[in-house]
Amino acid sequence: MSERQAGDRHVYEYAVLRVVPRIERGECINAGVLVYCRPLGFVAARTHLDEARLLALDPDVDLAGVRAALRAAEQVCAGGDAAGQAARDDAGRRFRWLIAPRSTVVQPGPVHTGLTADPAAETERLLRVLVQ
């Protein structure tokens, strides 16, 4: 299967950003999506934190820290000065860095693939379907 399928649709990868406030319990809520489309050099993160749901899992969670981690994922994807050292990396390296397994409160889920003609619209769709 080639990267270009059915006209102008492109292969893309995505992962859900999960907030796991208490690692030992294994409970989580979805709080964002990461989308990468190599043929178009596109990478983006969109987040939405349902603070009430998160506080139901852990009333002592560091909301400011979670918000900062989610914001950082969006900044790394956007590039520019706010991305720090990642600003010099291409879209693929930034995506791979964000999906690397980690033992923090904000964690990436497994990577999935799909086809899209518009990765920005797909990012919004995934946010609605998987997070909100």
Side-chain angles (χ1 to χ4, degrees), residues 1-84:
M1 187 181 290
S2 70
E3 287 183 14
R4 285 194 59 126
Q5 299 287 324
D8 62 348
R9 295 190 325 158
H10 304 276
V11 172
Y12 73 95
E13 300 173 72
Y14 72 95
V16 174
L17 288 174
R18 304 181 290 202
V19 179
V20 186
R22 294 177 58 192
I23 301 295
E24 69 278 8
R25 291 183 59 150
E27 299 168 327
C28 66
I29 66 166
N30 293 347
V33 292
L34 303 167
V35 174
Y36 170 56
C37 182
R38 187 178 75 151
L40 299 178
F42 176 89
V43 65
R46 289 281 288 119
T47 63
H48 171 79
L49 182 60
D50 185 334
E51 293 181 6
R53 280 184 71 201
L54 183 56
L55 288 168
L57 291 180
D58 183 358
D60 298 322
V61 68
D62 177 8
L63 283 175
V66 171
R67 281 189 221 106
L70 293 171
R71 191 170 39 255
E74 289 180 335
Q75 291 171 333
V76 166
C77 285
D81 292 339

Side-chain angles (χ1 to χ4, degrees), residues 79-99:
D81 292 339
Q85 286 185 299
R88 292 186 295 272
D89 292 337
D90 64 31
R93 284 186 65 119
R94 292 193 312 259
F95 179 75
R96 298 283 172 241
W97 183 78
L98 288 167
I99 63 165

